[in-house]
Each structure stands twice: as C-alpha cells, then as structure tokens.
Amino acid sequence: MLSSDLVWKDMVLKESVSNAVARDWPLAVQWSETPSLDLTASEELWHARWAAMDGQPPQRFRAMKLAAMRAFWETSLNGGDREHLGRDWSRFAAWCLDAALAEAWRLPANRKFLKDAGDGVSIPGLFVLGLGKLGGEDLNFSSDVDLIAFFDTGSLPVPESEGRAFVCARVLRDMGKLLGTGSGAPVWRIDWRLRPDPSVTDIAMSAEAGLSYFHFQSEPWRRLAMMKARVVAGDMAAGARFMQELTPFLWRKSLDFRMIDEIAGLKSRIRNESPDIADHAGESDRLDVADAFHLKLDRGGIREIEFIANALQLVWGGRQPVLRVTHTVTALRELARAGHLKADVAQRLIDAYHLFRAIENAIQGLANEQVYRVPANWKAVARRIIAERAFVHAAFQNLFRDRDETAKPSPPSPQLQLHVDQETAAILAEWRNGFARYGVTGDARLALASLPDAILSVLPANRPAGEAISALDAFFRKLPPGGQYFALMASQPQFLADIVEPIVTGGWAARLLDQSPHVAD
C-alpha cells in the first residue's frame, strides 16, 4: 500500500469524523446530520438542490458546503480518486461563486443600477477569475479562493454615469457576504489581494485597464500568478475574450529563461517573509525530518514542485500550447511528453505531489483550518515524507542552481581591457550597470552582473575591441526590452559564444540577426 493511502487508512481513520463528533467538534456534528453531496454531479443538479432548500441564500450555501465537505471526506477515506477530487472540489467552489454572484445581482439595491434588469440570472459583462489552486483546479480541503474581477464596458448593462467600477465592486462584495466572508465560518474565504495594484484599486476594474496593466506595468511575478487564471464566475464569454487577449503577456514566443531566475527569487522571498517559516527556521531548513514539515513552503515541498512545472511552462509554453495548462499534475505529464522533464523524474514529482496533498487535506480536514505542518505523531509516513522531500528539493536545485553555475564566465582576456576609447568605455559602463540602456530593469539587472566579463571573454582576438563592442551594442539595441535575451546569454555560455561571433565578424548570419533579432532563439 502506498504511503499516501497509509495517511488515510492508518492516520486519518484514528481521527475520523466519528471521533471528532465524540469530541463535540461543531462542524463535524453539523455535517454528520447533512446528506452528502455528489461532487461528480452536474452544476445544474447542485443548483436544483440549493434552490429547493429552505432558508435565506447564505444559510443554503452553508448547507451545501457542509454536504460537500462530508462528500470530500467520504471519498478520501474510501480511497477515491484524489486527483479528480481536487478538480471536483474546485468545480464546486466555482459553482458557489457563480451562484452567489447571480444572487448578488438580484438584490434590489443592485438591480436598480441596471439599464435592462432582465431575469437577473446572468448579467453580462462582469466576470471573475480564479487564481492559485482554484484556477489550477486543485483546491485543498480548507483553501482560500484567490479571485480577481473585471468588467467589459461594452456589454455591462450599467450606465457609465452610475460608476461601473463602483457598481461591480458593490455586487462583488455582496457576493462575498452571501458566502459568509468575514464571518466565523465562511463558506469560502475570499482573497482579492492578487488584483492589480491592490493598495490603490477597488476589487473590480475594466477589462481594458486590466489588460493595459498586465501588458505594460506589471511585475514579472504576475505572469506566474496569472498563468493559473481561469474564468470561474459571471460572464464566461467575456472572461474567455479577456484571457485570449492576455495570451501574449503570459506566453512569450521567445524562450524566456529569465523566468527561471525570477521564480527562484520569488520562492526565496516567500520563504523569508512567511512568519510560519521564520518561527520554525531550524525544522524548515532540514530535509531529514518529517515532524513539523511545512508541506507548502519548506524545502522539498509542494511549492517547489509547482515552481518546477511553472518555470518550464513559462519558458516553453509560448511555442508549445499543450503546456498552457493550470493543473500542476497535468503540466508535469505534458512537460515529460514534450521532453522538458525526464519521464521518471516527472512521475516521481507527481507521486510526491499526491502524497503531500493527501496529507495536507488530512490535517486540514481535522480542524477545517489552513494548517500545513505535519503532526509529530504521524510516524507511518515519516520515512516516505523524508525520501520525497529529498527528491523534490534535488529536482528543484537541478533546475535552478544549474543556471547559477553555468552563468560563471571565464576570466576576461587581458588585452580586451586595454586601449578602449571614451565611447567604448561608456558602453562598457552601461553593461556593468545591468544593461539598463537596453530596457533591462529591476532584479533582472542584478542577475546580469557577470555577463559583461563573459561577453569580453568570447570576443574574437583578431578584431579590435572597440569595433566588436560597438557592433554588439547596435545589436542589443534592437532586442525586445525586458532582458530575456540577456538572461539567456548569462545562463547559457554556448549560446553567448554562438551569438557574439557572427555579430562581431559580420557575414550573412550578422545580416540575418540585424534584420530579425528574434532568430537568436
């Protein structure tokens, strides 16, 4: 029997729903009295059951969630397909959001803003995107739902004079109230903080403003967040159009290896800024322990598996649409099929992911809280946890650390450091300033500190240094801004040598690169 099954059979059964009821756990008492919900049923059947219930919408949503929670546990304890369970759980969450959004539009205080009230079931224009595990169709038992919302000004039936952003934000807040946001036991805990500029924007903005933000203002980590996005509520057609227009931002035709460095830096920042990690610094840095292992953020945990998949998807997804999936396990399988991960490595990562998610759901189900640390008494799976942690972290290091090692340049040729004129010296100074003159910004500039010397080390010895550097400067000016080609040169010494030689020596290859710099890919 796999250790993921042992989690449920040997550990969870000891702390099962019946034992929780015996301890007067209020939530378990409630769901023990609630008929189970078929999580594989259609949304239409769910809605029919919800509509037939007595009580106000918030109470009916709570009853549906309790019935779904019971079904989640029963499926897990009986050895059901946990991969599809995550999809069904995410589908149920999306149904709740969509139904609550329709109810919020029906409220008289909101319908008065509509030019054409219609039947109130589906108001066009406003749509909600799910990110994170909701977007990835992999919600765990006690997940928050990460949301952002936009409205299409061309189809939203709200007069411009009423303030469309204001009205949409009002409706979305009412949706949250219907789902119990802010109460002691919400149906779903909603998190709006991943929206563009959350400190200065309301929870709804126009699709045009959102697209402008992502394409021209957003930080690189936004691509990592938005690659998980999918439409979960509201006007599905408007949401699909928005996601289609977002494609050039998410999936670059050029091979953007810079994202691997961005993801590595993001992971470090998340760990450094997490209070839970800081409080357990000793345990979090060790790979040889299972007790108190933070399943999500510790080394060798869920986040490292997700980042392996996400990094390779962002590098190759612009050219291979089959990789543009939000589900982590599906992404790992497709990456293996495409040859970007060894098949045995991908399968081992999938096995570890399933194990960690099973444990995560178990410990969250016992208290219905977002907890991630493995209890100290879970001895039955300790050895398997340690083995999987070590493998996952090694795979993560192989992807991210190798880039640091290959970026180390050879020592520059001494003769190239001499006799450069003032114009050439200015170009070199710009290179040592992180290649800022070519549109490289922020942390990407810091990652290129060793690239100037690496370039100098591969310049042909039979060419004057000033001429060679000027030719490269002219080529660099034609590259797209953002720094992805510089990151590729810094991380791939052979690519650097192959690209510098034709540019400096001239010939047909230099003319081709001059006309179409993107052929460097």
Side-chain angles (χ1 to χ4, degrees):
M1 183 180 291
L2 293 175
S3 292
S4 57
D5 295 323
L6 286 172
V7 171
W8 295 100
K9 299 302 183 184
D10 291 358
M11 293 287 101
V12 178
L13 284 174
K14 295 178 182 178
E15 294 285 348
S16 63
V17 175
S18 61
N19 288 334
V21 172
R23 297 201 312 269
D24 293 326
W25 183 29
L27 184 61
V29 172
Q30 292 178 58
W31 85 31
S32 69
E33 300 170 350
T34 301
S36 182
L37 181 76
D38 182 2
L39 289 175
T40 66
S42 68
E43 288 88 343
E44 289 77 12
L45 288 177
W46 291 342
H47 195 82
R49 176 169 171 175
W50 179 83
M53 290 178 173
D54 295 328
Q56 295 300 311
Q59 287 71 44
R60 287 184 278 155
F61 280 124
R62 290 183 193 282
M64 289 289 287
K65 179 65 177 292
L66 287 170
M69 293 168 78
R70 176 170 181 169
F72 189 104
W73 266 74
E74 289 172 345
T75 301
S76 299
L77 292 171
N78 292 326
D81 185 339
R82 296 187 194 102
E83 184 173 322
H84 285 88
L85 180 59
R87 291 182 184 274
D88 291 334
W89 195 235
S90 301
R91 189 167 61 91
F92 174 70
W95 171 81
C96 290
L97 292 163
D98 191 52
L101 181 59
E103 283 294 312
W105 273 122
R106 287 191 184 97
L107 295 174
N110 295 328
R111 286 174 64 87
K112 70 179 183 181
F113 292 110
L114 303 177
K115 289 187 293 186
D116 179 10
D119 58 10
V121 173
S122 179
I123 303 299
L126 178 62
F127 57 92
V128 180
L129 304 181
L131 280 66
K133 283 187 167 56
L134 175 59
E137 299 180 277
D138 207 8
L139 274 183
N140 53 330
F141 186 84
S142 191
S143 285
D144 288 353
V145 289
D146 296 311
L147 306 177
I148 55 176
F150 301 95
F151 58 88
D152 176 22
T153 56
S155 57
L156 185 74
V158 175
E160 186 175 2
S161 60
E162 297 288 356
R164 290 166 175 161
F166 165 78
V167 172
C168 288
R170 175 181 178 135
V171 172
L172 292 167
R173 288 191 178 92
D174 286 335
M175 176 192 78
K177 292 176 183 177
L178 291 170
L179 295 176
T181 298
S183 65
V187 178
W188 297 101
R189 291 181 294 266
I190 296 175
D191 191 339
W192 295 103
R193 289 176 295 176
L194 287 179
R195 69 184 186 274
D197 284 338
S199 62
V200 297
T201 61
D202 210 334
I203 59 176
M205 66 190 308
S206 72
E208 295 87 344
L211 290 169
S212 176
Y213 173 84
F214 288 120
H215 282 293
F216 304 112
Q217 298 173 260
S218 67
E219 306 91 329
W221 68 265
R222 290 277 181 183
R223 285 181 64 201
L224 183 66
M226 292 301 294
M227 69 179 289
K228 290 279 192 182
R230 65 184 180 93
V231 190
V232 295
D235 189 333
M236 307 301 280
R241 291 193 298 270
F242 179 88
M243 291 304 301
Q244 183 62 36
E245 293 186 57
L246 200 62
T247 297
F249 164 72
L250 293 175
W251 307 108
R252 311 286 172 82
K253 293 297 183 182
S254 58
L255 299 180
D256 193 359
F257 286 93
R258 179 186 54 162
M259 282 307 301
I260 293 183
D261 303 315
E262 293 283 353
I263 290 173
L266 177 61
K267 180 179 181 294
S268 296
R269 290 197 296 272
I270 290 172
R271 277 179 51 83
N272 293 337
E273 295 171 7
S274 170
D276 199 13
I277 299 298
D279 293 342
H280 296 80
E283 300 97 323
S284 294
D285 289 335
R286 295 181 59 185
L287 292 171
D288 60 344
V289 296
D291 291 353
F293 167 45
H294 194 290
L295 291 152
K296 184 177 180 180
L297 297 180
D298 274 355
R299 290 183 171 89
I302 290 171
R303 183 57 55 81
E304 289 193 352
I305 299 173
E306 292 174 333
F307 278 1
I308 290 170
N310 297 158
L312 292 173
Q313 284 178 277
L314 287 172
V315 170
W316 297 103
R319 298 185 173 194
Q320 296 175 301
V322 70
L323 301 179
R324 302 173 190 177
V325 295
T326 62
H327 189 251
T328 298
V329 169
T330 302
L332 291 169
R333 290 180 180 138
E334 294 296 341
L335 287 164
R337 291 190 185 101
H340 303 307
L341 268 179
K342 292 182 179 179
D344 59 335
V345 172
Q347 187 57 54
R348 184 75 181 272
L349 291 171
I350 290 170
D351 291 343
Y353 188 80
H354 282 156
L355 172 69
F356 294 160
R357 294 304 307 280
I359 299 171
E360 179 185 53
N361 283 320
I363 61 178
Q364 291 192 0
L366 294 174
N368 191 29
E369 294 178 356
Q370 279 196 301
V371 290
Y372 297 97
R373 292 204 174 273
V374 176
N377 62 343
W378 285 39
K379 304 301 183 185
V381 292
R383 184 176 299 177
R384 176 79 185 278
I385 288 174
I386 292 170
E388 298 303 333
R389 283 192 71 184
F391 181 86
V392 169
H393 190 61
F396 181 85
Q397 288 290 87
N398 285 340
L399 177 61
F400 291 89
R401 182 178 57 203
D402 285 353
R403 305 187 60 73
D404 296 331
E405 292 173 351
T406 57
K408 294 178 181 178
S410 303
S413 303
Q415 65 268 27
L416 295 181
Q417 301 179 17
L418 304 174
H419 309 300
V420 293
D421 57 28
Q422 186 174 359
E423 182 178 351
T424 304
I427 295 173
L428 288 173
E430 288 289 343
W431 290 4
R432 298 195 182 283
N433 189 36
F435 297 87
R437 69 157 60 182
Y438 312 113
V440 182
T441 60
D443 292 342
R445 291 167 56 185
L446 299 177
L448 302 177
S450 62
L451 183 56
D453 286 339
I455 294 173
L456 296 178
S457 71
V458 298
L459 292 181
N462 61 348
R463 293 279 176 171
E467 292 182 9
I469 291 169
S470 294
L472 288 168
D473 174 61
F475 173 72
F476 291 163
R477 288 176 181 274
K478 296 180 179 180
L479 292 175
Q484 58 264 34
Y485 286 96
F486 294 97
L488 188 58
M489 286 186 281
S491 63
Q492 303 291 332
Q494 189 58 54
F495 172 76
L496 174 62
D498 288 346
I499 201 73
V500 166
E501 194 272 338
I503 293 171
V504 171
T505 58
W508 68 267
R511 291 193 295 274
L512 178 61
L513 286 166
D514 183 66
Q515 295 170 3
S516 303
H518 67 273
V519 302
D521 289 346

